[in-house]
Amino acid sequence: MTPRRGLVILFVADVLSAIGSRITMVAIPWLVLVTTGSAARMGLVAAVELVPYIIASIMAGPIIDTLGPRRTSILANLSSAVAVAAIAATTGLGFAALLVLVAVAGALRGAADRAKDLLVRPMAEAANVELIRITSLHEALARGATLLGAPLGGLLIFWTDAASVLWIDAVTFVICGVLVAAFVRPPEVVADTRRDKYFRSLAEGFSFVRRDELLATMLITTFTINIFASASTAVFIPVWVRDELGSPAGLGLTLGAFSAGALLGSITFAVLATKVPRYLTFAIGAFVGGSPRLLVLGLSDNLALVMVVTFLSGIGIAAINPVFGAALYEHVPKQLQARVIGLVAATSFAGLPLGALLAGELVSALGLTPALIWSGIACLVVSVFPLVRRGPGKVLDAPSTVEAT
């Protein structure tokens, strides 16, 4: 098995895991809805899966350092398969038991995803592939998996039922674990041989991000963009469609325009990743991908205009994650990557539920149009911040190889 083939297998496992996760995010809430008839419980179970995922992304760092990312990935994927299979097999145990199993599954998935993240750098270095190329390709594949996973989950539920779909998802986790075990063999394992106390080890990751100007700037920007992206998808766009258009078709068209733009942007950036200034691309992507899609909803009732701006915002936002990912791999010492990458991923994901919550409160308190305008202004202020800071840009566009000490 050559390093390049091992890298390809790692990507196959990651995409398969992503598709399975999207299917789970459709199947479990649907299972709750059809078994309990409660929309409130449906929303609760979705949150119970996401919160442990975020927490595990942070807390698993020292464990990954101890076990190594490859072993952690294998164990977490196989354990995820057991957890998802338990959900499918025990639907009659009651809602409380379901919540516990869903929380366990979410936490294991967070650990598995962070472990796979830690395998990317050594596999890319062994294959002699530039990290920015890898992170941009990963973003394109992740976008494709997102677009495929949710509708596939819906179709599978239509053809079978939610419990059967969860059994299928459990199989995907087993396949991922087997693929990593059999074919992904990094030349070096990111392992921390020190015996620091657990929370002291975590604190090192927090301290590094706080002190690093580049990562702090990019994390604040990404967190903010995620807040308003979630606010748009979960609240602003559905309410705007209801008030201005009165047709659910507009919801599908608007969300589809953003997804299509994000997928096109991801593919385009994967081709151009090594030819463009990275920090400037990140800053422009944040500027285009954030406030315009909010402001156009607040200032216009024209669906065609909203779709065009939303499509362009999708293109812009596609450059953010690949550039940020490359910065993490290149500028974080290897012995800290498990903790720092976990912290960054968790913080970024935390913007998603927060955005939906804040958007709902803003619309209730101010009305839709003022909420959109003020949100657009707030997002604009934050997205301009990277453009006026030159220091981090010089660091990112002249990357250095960081080795463990």
Side-chain angles (χ1 to χ4, degrees):
M1 175 66 66
T2 65
R4 282 182 179 265
R5 289 181 180 177
L7 183 61
V8 171
I9 294 297
L10 177 61
F11 268 52
V12 170
D14 191 44
V15 170
L16 184 60
S17 175
I19 291 175
S21 297
R22 299 307 184 278
I23 292 174
T24 300
M25 293 173 67
V26 174
I28 292 179
W30 184 261
L31 178 66
V32 171
L33 185 63
V34 297
T35 55
T36 69
S38 170
R41 288 189 170 189
M42 181 182 180
L44 177 60
V45 78
V48 165
E49 181 183 14
L50 181 59
V51 172
Y53 178 92
I54 293 173
I55 294 173
S57 292
I58 299 175
M59 306 302 287
I63 298 173
I64 296 173
D65 283 335
T66 301
L67 297 178
R70 179 174 175 272
R71 185 182 301 175
T72 304
S73 176
I74 295 168
L75 291 175
N77 274 294
L78 295 180
S79 300
S80 294
V82 173
V84 173
I87 295 172
T90 58
T91 56
L93 288 182
F95 187 64
L98 176 64
L99 289 179
V100 172
L101 291 172
V102 167
V104 171
L108 290 169
R109 187 163 61 86
D113 286 353
R114 300 295 74 77
K116 285 197 290 290
D117 290 342
L118 268 295
L119 287 169
V120 169
R121 177 177 177 174
M123 294 299 294
E125 290 175 344
N128 196 29
V129 180
E130 292 181 81
L131 286 168
I132 187 64
R133 182 78 73 188
I134 291 299
T135 56
S136 59
L137 179 60
H138 180 271
E139 179 70 8
L141 293 173
R143 295 285 182 185
T146 299
L147 289 176
L148 176 63
L152 178 60
L155 287 174
L156 288 173
I157 291 172
F158 175 75
W159 291 329
T160 58
D161 56 67
S164 298
V165 172
L166 289 174
W167 282 111
I168 295 171
D169 190 28
V171 172
T172 67
F173 283 113
V174 172
I175 294 173
C176 290
V178 171
L179 287 176
V180 174
F183 301 110
V184 179
R185 300 188 179 277
E188 56 179 314
V189 177
V190 180
D192 192 348
T193 58
R194 297 172 300 167
R195 292 292 183 263
D196 287 344
K197 291 184 178 180
Y198 179 86
F199 288 103
R200 181 183 299 172
S201 180
L202 280 178
E204 279 191 275
F206 281 88
S207 179
F208 184 88
V209 174
R210 180 178 56 82
R211 295 194 314 266
D212 189 280
E213 184 182 19
L214 171 64
L215 296 185
T217 299
M218 298 180 82
L219 181 56
I220 291 170
T221 304
T222 305
F223 174 70
T224 304
I225 293 298
N226 279 346
I227 286 177
F228 290 110
S230 174
S232 295
T233 302
V235 177
F236 288 149
I237 291 176
V239 175
W240 181 86
V241 168
R242 183 199 65 187
D243 293 351
E244 301 294 343
L245 305 179
S247 170
L251 178 61
L253 290 172
T254 305
L255 296 177
F258 182 78
S259 297
L263 181 58
L264 176 61
S266 298
I267 295 171
T268 303
F269 188 74
V271 175
L272 301 176
T274 60
K275 303 175 183 178
V276 296
R278 288 188 281 175
Y279 186 78
L280 181 61
T281 301
F282 174 89
I284 292 176
F287 180 81
V288 174
S291 62
R293 65 190 296 217
L294 297 167
L295 294 174
V296 72
L297 290 171
L299 299 173
S300 174
D301 60 359
N302 186 299
L303 178 61
L305 177 60
V306 167
M307 287 180 62
V308 169
V309 174
T310 302
F311 176 78
L312 294 175
S313 292
I315 292 176
I317 210 169
I320 294 177
N321 286 341
V323 176
F324 199 1
L328 287 168
Y329 289 129
E330 293 175 350
H331 295 280
V332 179
K334 289 182 179 179
Q335 75 273 16
L336 290 178
Q337 284 193 354
R339 283 159 278 175
V340 171
I341 290 176
L343 170 63
V344 166
T347 303
S348 298
F349 277 117
L352 300 178
L354 181 59
L357 177 63
L358 289 177
E361 294 297 325
L362 283 174
V363 171
S364 297
L366 304 177
L368 177 61
T369 298
L372 284 166
I373 298 300
W374 282 112
S375 296
I377 293 172
C379 189
L380 179 63
V381 170
V382 176
S383 61
V384 167
F385 183 60
L387 286 171
V388 300
R389 293 174 64 83
R390 297 182 180 180
K394 294 179 181 178
V395 174
L396 183 60
D397 288 322
S400 59
T401 301
V402 182
E403 299 294 342
T405 56

